[in-house]
Amino acid sequence: MKPPSFGYDAPRTLGEALGVLAEAGSDGKVLAGGQSLIPLLNMRLVAPGRLVDINRVAGLDTVEVTAEGVRVGALARHSRVLRSAESARAQPLLAEALRHVAHPVVRNRGTVVGSLAHADPAAELPAVLAVLGGSVEVRSEQGQRTIPAEAFFTGPLEPDLRPGELAVSAFFPALPPRGGAAFAETARRHGDYALVGVAAVVVLDDDLRVSSARAGYLSVAATPLVLDLTEAAGRRSAASCDWAAVAAHAQSLVDPETDIHAGADYRRHLAGVLTERALRTAAANALERGDP
Ligand SMILES: Cc1cc2nc3c(=O)[nH]c(=O)nc-3n(C[C@H](O)[C@H](O)[C@H](O)COP(=O)(O)OP(=O)(O)OC[C@H]3O[C@@H](n4cnc5c(N)ncnc54)[C@H](O)[C@@H]3O)c2cc1C
């Protein structure tokens, strides 16, 4: 398979990259790790006039961890983030989900921000960003925008990115002190895109009762779906909460479609099973973190 012909630019600074993207307008496409874009080009599903390869742009290969969360720069590869113990401590969900993204060889090249910009509803990281209430920072010659996750994913493979814009980083908020997270998915083979995946976050109050329970889903809708399950959890103690009932409630709210990989009923069933598993583990992790 050969891609259609395209122009190619390899800027070395952010300013140069934004200049080239501004000039290219809707004809331009950013090339990061290429793990999604190159297959799309080779299958001729996209035909941009100009590829703007950002791999030589200095200063984008960053993983900054603060008390507020983890900021991942546009050229930080999946494997780099996965190796960061600091990042895993601040936001364990990111590392947990990344272990399910493809295989090491793909993770060595693919980027976290590229995965968000690709906006595949079957990808792990958009669901993680969505359930955490994270955001994407975007730059262009016109200025800067911070786009919350709930506005960034507008449709399948449709991020809220305008011509001339480059996503420079993504921000994943840290878990609160009495917070726990867990990720669960089912795929036909490890490393395949998931038939369904769930990213769960449970936060406890000082009496170890559930003060917040949220679940983010991949592969059940055209964009990441986030359910607030706090009311269903009923502010019970984390240890005695009826997570099976909460998961059954979540299952009744998802409305997946049938495709060549799985039927809608099977996906709905998986959503229930995986929600219970992820919420239970998240609650146990929250109890462990809250235990001085
Ligand atoms: C065999 C295989 C299995 C895979 N399995 C999984 C999986 O299980 N789960 C999963 O989530 N992913 C999977 N992937 C995809 C992989 O995670 C990619 O790395 C990821 O989707 C895109 O990151 P990238 O850096 O390679 O982006 P690219 O392929 O370079 O770009 C993808 C898209 O995002 C845009 N883009 C990239 N960076 C920016 C930016 N900074 N600003 C604006 N636009 C940008 C590009 O223009 C393009 O439209 C798989 C890939 C392969 C080849």
Side-chain angles (χ1 to χ4, degrees):
M1 303 286 273
K2 286 187 181 165
S5 63
F6 51 79
Y8 176 80
D9 293 274
R12 292 192 173 257
T13 65
L14 181 58
E16 267 175 47
L18 297 182
V20 176
L21 282 168
E23 207 180 282
S26 55
D27 219 21
K29 199 109 182 102
V30 173
L31 173 69
Q35 298 302 298
S36 296
L37 183 54
I38 298 295
L40 287 180
L41 282 167
N42 287 346
M43 288 185 278
R44 300 201 171 210
L45 294 171
V46 291
R50 232 161 132 180
L51 282 196
V52 183
D53 181 348
I54 59 168
N55 283 279
R56 290 172 189 77
V57 175
L60 293 180
D61 175 21
T62 51
V63 181
E64 292 162 15
V65 183
T66 62
E68 282 73 44
V70 183
R71 182 168 292 283
V72 180
L75 278 180
R77 317 282 167 185
H78 298 313
S79 55
R80 163 100 199 274
V81 181
L82 195 45
R83 277 197 310 271
S84 166
E86 253 191 311
S87 161
R89 251 191 312 277
Q91 186 40 266
L93 194 49
L94 187 50
E96 236 198 283
L98 274 167
R99 285 190 195 94
H100 293 272
V101 175
H103 310 282
V105 70
V106 173
R107 295 199 294 258
N108 285 341
R109 193 74 199 154
T111 63
V112 165
V113 171
S115 183
L116 299 171
H118 187 52
D120 189 329
E124 287 80 3
L125 299 180
V128 168
L129 191 81
V131 76
L132 295 175
S135 57
V136 178
E137 193 183 318
V138 163
R139 295 272 298 271
S140 72
E141 285 207 323
Q142 271 66 54
Q144 180 170 329
R145 296 195 292 146
T146 300
I147 310 165
E150 68 262 25
F152 187 71
F153 305 106
T154 61
L157 309 192
E158 287 171 16
D160 176 20
L161 284 171
R162 300 170 189 155
E165 284 187 331
L166 178 72
V168 288
S169 68
F171 181 68
F172 296 85
L175 269 187
R178 289 194 194 284
F183 189 88
E185 76 170 37
T186 295
R188 284 187 187 278
R189 295 169 304 185
H190 182 76
D192 278 6
Y193 279 99
L195 298 177
V196 174
V198 184
V201 180
V202 173
V203 183
L204 309 180
D205 64 16
D206 290 346
D207 300 320
L208 304 184
R209 289 173 189 282
V210 176
S211 65
S212 162
R214 284 159 60 86
Y217 295 84
L218 47 132
S219 289
V220 301
T223 56
L225 171 74
V226 176
L227 296 179
D228 187 345
L229 301 168
T230 311
E231 216 179 299
R235 294 194 68 83
R236 287 187 197 87
S237 82
S240 66
C241 188
D242 186 352
W243 293 116
V246 179
H249 174 66
Q251 184 176 336
S252 73
L253 298 175
V254 302
D255 187 18
E257 286 189 355
T258 294
D259 63 17
I260 54 165
H261 304 293
D265 286 348
Y266 181 53
R267 280 208 160 96
R268 199 174 299 107
H269 167 75
L270 282 180
V273 172
L274 295 172
T275 301
E276 183 180 348
R277 197 177 294 167
L279 285 172
R280 267 189 204 288
T281 311
N285 290 341
L287 280 170
E288 207 176 293
R289 274 168 63 102
D291 209 3

